Amino acid sequence: MSRILLHGATDCDSSNYGDYLYGELIYDFLKKKNLDICFYNASLFFKENLKNYMEIKEFGLNKADMVIYIPGGYFGEGHKARFRDNLVQFLRFMPVGIKASYKKVPIVGIGIGAGPNKDLLMNYGIKRICNFAKFITVRDMESYNSLKKLCPNANIIEAGDLILTRTLNTIKESKQIEKIKKYSKNYKILLIHYNHSEEALIKFANAAREFIQNHKEYKIIVASDSILSYEDEYYNKFKQIFGKDCEHFIYNDPAEMTTLLKIVDVVLTCKLHVGVVSTTFGKSVIAVACHPGKTKRYYSQIKEPERCISLDDADFTRVTKMLEEYHDKGIIIPQNIIEKANKSWELLDLIIGDEHGNK
């Protein structure tokens, strides 16, 4: 049985909702092909939530027949990245691919985000991996241009965000979901998602307070999309600034988070993938991004660029105006964007068949 090693933002105690969804999508796709699959240093959160993963006998690079980089923005630098940030990024994501290239273990990258690419160490790893890879699909044209500039001879293919290609049908009813449904009965729901950002918390709390004054048809739900040690502390601060009734959703189950996004009406978020998933459900999304580079790319790609601004440039008055303008306007993703994103699955299906005779 062929062994596929998946690598991405699934280690270091990761519980991030978007990274989990990426991992689950590719894991489920490959499991159906009867392949032997595991993640490189999977976090306990991933192991506990992926179906039957706890029963898998994990293996490392030495036993892998192929390495697949799952979607993520790790082929570029973060927002306002310092040398230390880039070093951590390099050490977390590059060594597996570099070692695989020297060992002649085939590499594939799916739905990768790239750029900016200014750090020499990061660029060494990215070039080594991309030039050796069978192919790398990227999630937007900016990523394509960044990697092609670094690696003009590499097989880089523009696709789209992998999440756009799959309808997330999982429904996880729970006491928490039932509580939110009861709380919001006969009301619309505005989801506030500031996650780890205290700056977003303060701006969103003030904007929500102003918005609710004129829109009493809404109830406010606050949620994170990763497990945070300071979750309650931040929520109490939000409540103090907001000064009105609201409800707290505690994230610890990706399927439950998906269910929440299906029942809300409007999402105010500082991150990328709570917004991406919500747009697939046709919700109204306002993104005030703590990582504006990658987030603005997505909203431009789906022809909604005005819905995304940088958190650095926003004050609560501007956020309030965006809520006023877009709260009743859902998003429809252009079909051609979805079709382009499907390229990643088609190419992955082909390479698995070519390499392992499983097509």
Side-chain angles (χ1 to χ4, degrees):
M1 184 180 288
S2 300
R3 294 186 174 94
I4 310 295
L5 184 65
L6 304 178
H7 188 31
T10 61
D11 56 355
C12 299
D13 293 325
S14 174
S15 60
N16 179 267
Y17 175 63
D19 292 322
Y20 175 83
L21 290 181
Y22 285 142
E24 183 181 60
L25 287 173
I26 292 181
Y27 173 80
D28 287 349
F29 176 81
L30 295 174
K31 284 295 286 184
K32 291 176 182 176
K33 295 180 176 295
N34 296 317
L35 297 167
D36 194 0
I37 310 152
C38 75
F39 287 88
Y40 177 77
N41 285 344
S43 72
L44 183 60
F45 183 86
F46 274 75
K47 291 180 180 181
E48 290 178 340
N49 283 284
L50 288 168
K51 187 176 180 181
N52 299 326
Y53 193 85
M54 298 293 273
E55 301 169 14
I56 288 175
K57 185 177 181 180
E58 294 183 292
F59 53 88
L61 180 60
N62 288 336
K63 294 185 178 180
D65 299 310
M66 177 179 284
V67 172
I68 298 178
Y69 274 88
I70 70 171
Y74 29 77
F75 278 34
E77 298 155 36
H79 183 52
K80 297 181 178 179
R82 301 160 295 178
F83 171 77
R84 182 178 65 185
D85 301 320
N86 291 331
L87 180 60
V88 170
Q89 182 99 331
F90 176 89
L91 292 173
R92 186 178 181 189
F93 299 116
M94 298 296 117
V96 169
I98 293 170
K99 290 176 185 177
S101 72
Y102 282 109
K103 289 177 175 289
K104 307 300 182 185
V105 179
I107 299 174
V108 165
I110 300 294
I112 301 298
N117 297 111
K118 299 176 182 178
D119 184 82
L120 293 177
L121 183 61
M122 280 287 294
N123 287 351
Y124 161 72
I126 292 166
K127 286 191 285 186
R128 180 75 200 183
I129 293 166
C130 289
N131 284 327
F132 178 77
K134 298 291 186 180
F135 65 82
I136 304 284
T137 67
V138 294
R139 62 192 183 195
D140 49 59
M141 181 55 75
E142 292 86 350
S143 295
Y144 175 85
N145 290 335
S146 292
L147 292 186
K148 267 299 183 182
K149 185 177 180 179
L150 275 179
C151 321
N153 297 318
N155 189 12
I156 312 297
I157 301 145
E158 185 201 358
D161 197 302
L162 206 68
I163 288 174
L164 301 183
T165 66
R166 294 291 191 265
T167 301
L168 302 178
N169 291 319
T170 304
I171 298 292
K172 180 68 177 286
E173 295 294 348
S174 64
K175 290 181 180 179
Q176 187 167 215
I177 291 294
E178 288 304 313
K179 183 180 179 182
I180 287 170
K181 287 181 177 179
K182 184 176 180 180
Y183 170 74
S184 61
K185 188 176 182 180
N186 300 323
Y187 289 86
K188 294 180 179 180
I189 298 175
L190 167 58
L191 177 66
I192 304 291
H193 175 234
Y194 49 75
N195 207 61
H196 63 290
S197 172
E198 189 172 10
E199 181 181 0
L201 182 160
I202 294 168
K203 291 176 178 179
F204 289 3
N206 281 296
R209 186 185 65 239
E210 295 299 312
F211 178 75
I212 287 295
Q213 293 284 2
N214 299 319
H215 294 279
K216 294 181 172 53
E217 71 273 24
Y218 281 91
K219 290 286 190 179
I220 303 296
I221 306 296
V222 176
S224 299
D225 72 339
S226 52
I227 295 173
L228 304 171
S229 60
Y230 44 86
E231 177 79 39
D232 290 339
E233 177 188 343
Y234 269 32
Y235 178 63
N236 289 331
K237 183 168 186 175
F238 177 89
K239 283 198 302 182
Q240 184 179 15
I241 298 170
F242 180 55
K244 298 180 185 297
D245 185 41
C246 57
E247 190 65 54
H248 192 194
F249 174 89
I250 304 294
Y251 170 82
N252 57 29
D253 185 315
E256 190 182 27
M257 185 73 187
T258 299
T259 304
L260 175 67
L261 296 181
K262 287 183 177 182
I263 65 176
V264 305
D265 299 280
V266 187
V267 176
L268 175 60
T269 178
C270 70
K271 293 188 68 185
L272 179 59
H273 278 101
V274 161
V276 172
V277 174
S278 298
T279 64
T280 68
F281 297 146
K283 308 300 182 178
S284 174
V285 181
I286 296 95
V288 184
C290 55
H291 299 292
K294 66 179 183 179
T295 310
K296 284 183 176 182
R297 294 177 188 182
Y298 174 71
Y299 290 94
S300 293
Q301 188 180 52
I302 65 168
K303 313 303 180 188
E304 296 278 0
E306 65 283 350
R307 289 180 184 262
C308 181
I309 61 173
S310 170
L311 179 61
D312 294 339
D313 300 334
D315 57 28
F316 83 87
T317 302
R318 188 174 180 189
V319 178
T320 306
K321 288 180 179 178
M322 292 179 74
L323 283 169
E324 286 286 352
E325 183 172 358
Y326 295 112
H327 73 93
D328 58 351
K329 299 174 183 175
I331 290 176
I332 299 175
I333 300 170
Q335 186 60 33
N336 67 307
I337 302 299
I338 298 171
E339 291 171 359
K340 182 180 284 189
N342 267 310
K343 285 183 182 179
S344 290
W345 292 121
E346 295 166 5
L347 289 166
L348 183 57
D349 200 34
L350 283 172
I351 197 70
I352 293 297
D354 288 345
E355 291 290 324
H356 304 292
N358 289 300
K359 190 180 175 186

